[in-house]
Amino acid sequence: MKTTKRLLQTGALTLSLLATGVMAAVSADEAAKLGNTLTPVGAEKAGNADGSIPAWTGGLPVNAGAVDSAGFLADPFPSEKPLFTITAQNVEQYKDKLTPGQYAMFKRYPETYRMPVYTTHRTANVPDSIVAATKENATNTKLIQGGEGLENFKFANPFPIPKDGLEAIWNHITRYRGASVRRHVVQVTPQANGSFSPVSLEEEFAFRSMMKGVDTSQPSNILFYFKQRVTAPSRLAGNVLLVHETIDQVKEPRMAWLYNAGQRRVRRAPQVSYDGPGTAADGLRTSDNLDMYNGSPDRYDWQLLGKKEIYIPYNSYRLDSPKLKYTDIVKPGHLNPDLTRYELHRVWHVTATLKQGERHIYAKRDFYIDEDTWQAAAIDHYDGRGTLWRVAEAHAQYYYDKQVPWYAVEVIHDLLSGRYLALGLKNEEKQAYEFDYPAKESDYTPAALRQSGVR
């Protein structure tokens, strides 16, 4: 009853504030919990009642393991074995700690799908600069334009103590992924029999406010720059996508351009948003499925349902090992379960329901957002008939040497076709991640696209 009453009160407050177009920040007393009873980014510092989720004690140290010349991290838990494994035969025993999408995977692939569950480690942390910015955001950042933009926002984590679903999803959208990162990754869309042709991508991501040489005293509506260049196969090589992601997306919607190497032309790309097709994804993901979810939240009504404990992919260092080949990982229907790792964690449960009159192929989405990182760990996607259609999971790992929580691999399963997409594989790449590369604004202009796309 208390939880229901609190959620009803929160909903009434949200509607009242939305009517004025401005959402309130938390009080100084509430913000004082950050770093005390709450972690610096707003998670509960204490463990759970039975100790299966431990207390957060600062995450892994930056020297938690060796880092090779290509940027691959040593597994800090190399000798650990699963506590137990969930299978189609015992899944009913664990159903209360699974998402509907995870449960559906056992029904879709009863012979092969498994979830090995390991000891929970709360490994994540962020740099001191992000800790300070998060505390400043807590009392200053506000939602504007009915929740479609941010005001007085600095760096990352605008709402470490969220009051509604919009605030929680903005934390995912803006969360810290390093000041800048360049990565070489592979995307696969296996056929039902497991055969696949990899698409190689070079991606760059850079927060404008953290770029060297940028005058942050001058107002800008740019949150980050994103560039994605296809390097293989040859029929797609040289095509480049450029995105300017904005903070106030009503004032200035996302701007995107595509360079077509065959035509040697740069074109505006308004389709790179919402349910527009994802790059070389064979129709298995939308533009806003990248990074689990991205873009303007304006087409959905958002509701914060509270927290729950579920098994989510976590500390996926083994899955990211350079000793593996892609054929070791990519199997029919799903990734090789011998290489995955699940842990029990607390997540924020957020639902997104398509607004009346709006269009999107997903009529509803259920988000499960990790409390320690604000990363979406799992998302269930429903079609217009209310049928569970696609199940997304992010196999998270903490890049401890750079204090960056992110993903090793993102996967989205199509339950109807029996196919899936996996993005972020880099096991066979010569250079995995390059954090804090010297990003310049001049590299992210439409005029710079032609040079980026040279084959």
Side-chain angles (χ1 to χ4, degrees):
M1 285 295 293
K2 289 182 179 179
T3 300
T4 301
K5 183 177 180 181
R6 178 177 63 80
L7 288 171
L8 288 172
Q9 289 173 338
T10 299
L13 175 62
T14 299
L15 289 173
S16 172
L17 290 168
L18 279 173
T20 66
V22 177
M23 299 293 287
V26 302
S27 67
D29 287 343
E30 285 182 286
K33 297 177 183 177
L34 297 171
N36 292 304
T37 57
L38 301 178
T39 71
V41 299
E44 295 175 52
K45 191 177 270 190
N48 65 355
D50 65 7
S52 54
I53 297 176
W56 183 83
T57 57
L60 289 176
V62 295
N63 60 350
V67 183
D68 72 14
S69 59
F72 288 98
L73 304 171
D75 186 349
F77 314 110
S79 61
E80 288 191 353
K81 304 296 182 184
L83 300 174
F84 56 90
T85 299
I86 305 174
T87 67
Q89 288 67 49
N90 66 7
V91 67
E92 299 298 330
Q93 180 181 344
Y94 303 99
K95 188 176 180 180
D96 64 327
K97 287 185 168 56
L98 300 174
T99 72
Q102 290 174 327
Y103 181 75
M105 287 292 291
F106 288 98
K107 301 302 180 182
R108 186 66 173 81
Y109 305 103
E111 301 300 323
T112 59
Y113 190 68
R114 306 187 300 279
M115 286 174 56
V117 178
Y118 288 74
T119 299
T120 298
H121 297 284
R122 299 178 68 181
T123 46
N125 201 353
V126 291
D128 290 343
S129 60
I130 303 304
V131 171
T134 300
K135 195 153 192 175
E136 190 174 329
N137 287 336
T139 55
N140 292 315
T141 304
K142 299 175 183 178
L143 287 175
I144 57 174
Q145 302 286 7
E148 294 162 22
L150 302 176
E151 183 178 77
N152 301 327
F153 167 66
K154 187 175 183 180
F155 295 163
N157 309 322
F159 307 107
I161 307 174
K163 303 300 184 185
D164 60 50
L166 263 173
E167 292 188 348
I169 202 63
W170 271 108
N171 285 338
H172 165 79
I173 291 169
T174 63
R175 74 195 189 282
Y176 180 67
R177 282 151 281 179
S180 62
V181 61
R182 180 186 288 126
R183 65 178 192 165
H184 298 83
V185 295
V186 161
Q187 174 179 276
V188 298
T189 54
Q191 300 298 322
N193 64 4
S195 65
F196 64 92
S197 297
V199 175
S200 298
L201 304 167
E202 180 184 274
E203 296 184 336
E204 296 178 5
F205 173 95
F207 277 102
R208 181 187 181 275
S209 59
M210 299 183 193
M211 281 182 167
K212 293 179 180 178
V214 168
D215 185 358
T216 56
S217 66
Q218 297 298 315
S220 174
N221 195 31
I222 299 296
L223 174 63
F224 61 76
Y225 298 103
F226 174 75
K227 186 187 290 185
Q228 182 186 71
R229 182 167 67 95
V230 182
T231 59
S234 57
R235 62 184 174 84
L236 298 174
N239 293 342
V240 188
L241 166 65
L242 172 66
V243 174
H244 291 186
E245 192 76 333
T246 55
I247 300 171
D248 182 344
Q249 301 203 4
V250 171
K251 175 183 175 183
E252 189 178 17
R254 164 189 288 175
M255 295 172 285
W257 298 264
L258 281 170
Y259 173 71
N260 185 296
Q263 299 175 349
R264 298 190 178 185
R265 294 185 63 180
V266 175
R267 295 177 179 267
R268 287 296 299 267
Q271 74 274 19
V272 182
S273 61
Y274 301 110
D275 56 359
T279 302
D282 212 7
L284 289 171
R285 73 165 175 86
T286 60
S287 288
D288 63 7
N289 277 142
L290 183 66
D291 197 38
M292 294 293 282
Y293 177 79
N294 71 87
S296 174
D298 65 308
R299 292 191 181 180
Y300 290 94
D301 289 319
W302 299 84
Q303 185 179 9
L304 182 63
L305 299 183
K307 281 188 184 178
K308 61 187 306 182
E309 297 177 4
I310 64 170
Y311 299 114
I312 58 176
Y314 222 87
N315 291 314
S316 303
Y317 296 95
R318 186 179 184 189
L319 185 63
D320 201 46
S321 170
K323 296 179 181 179
L324 298 174
K325 301 295 184 183
Y326 298 136
T327 52
D328 297 328
I329 300 169
V330 180
K331 300 299 179 183
H334 49 76
L335 301 183
N336 184 348
D338 291 335
L339 303 174
T340 62
R341 177 187 178 115
Y342 287 78
E343 299 179 2
L344 185 66
H345 285 264
R346 284 186 294 248
V347 297
W348 291 97
H349 185 190
V350 177
T351 62
T353 305
L354 193 64
K355 292 178 179 177
Q356 187 172 1
E358 294 286 0
R359 184 189 65 80
H360 200 291
I361 64 171
Y362 304 136
K364 181 187 174 185
R365 288 161 138 155
D366 263 327
F367 289 74
Y368 301 88
I369 301 173
D370 173 37
E371 68 165 347
D372 283 336
T373 62
W374 290 113
Q375 296 184 146
I379 308 174
D380 292 343
H381 304 73
Y382 295 81
D383 65 17
R385 299 167 297 177
T387 302
L388 179 59
W389 179 12
R390 289 175 173 170
V391 178
E393 283 191 321
H395 293 263
Q397 74 173 5
Y398 175 54
Y399 295 82
Y400 45 77
D401 62 323
K402 300 295 183 181
Q403 292 187 296
V404 174
W406 211 358
Y407 305 137
V409 186
E410 301 171 53
V411 183
I412 183 164
H413 299 270
D414 189 312
L415 296 176
L416 302 183
S417 71
R419 296 183 63 195
Y420 67 101
L421 175 148
L423 172 63
L425 296 167
K426 51 189 178 295
N427 312 73
E428 297 182 36
E429 305 308 301
K430 295 180 180 178
Q431 182 67 44
Y433 277 57
E434 182 186 351
F435 286 99
D436 301 322
Y437 74 93
K440 305 188 298 294
E441 278 196 288
S442 59
D443 293 335
Y444 301 100
T445 65
L449 274 188
R450 185 183 297 273
Q451 184 176 355
S452 298
V454 173
R455 292 184 178 181

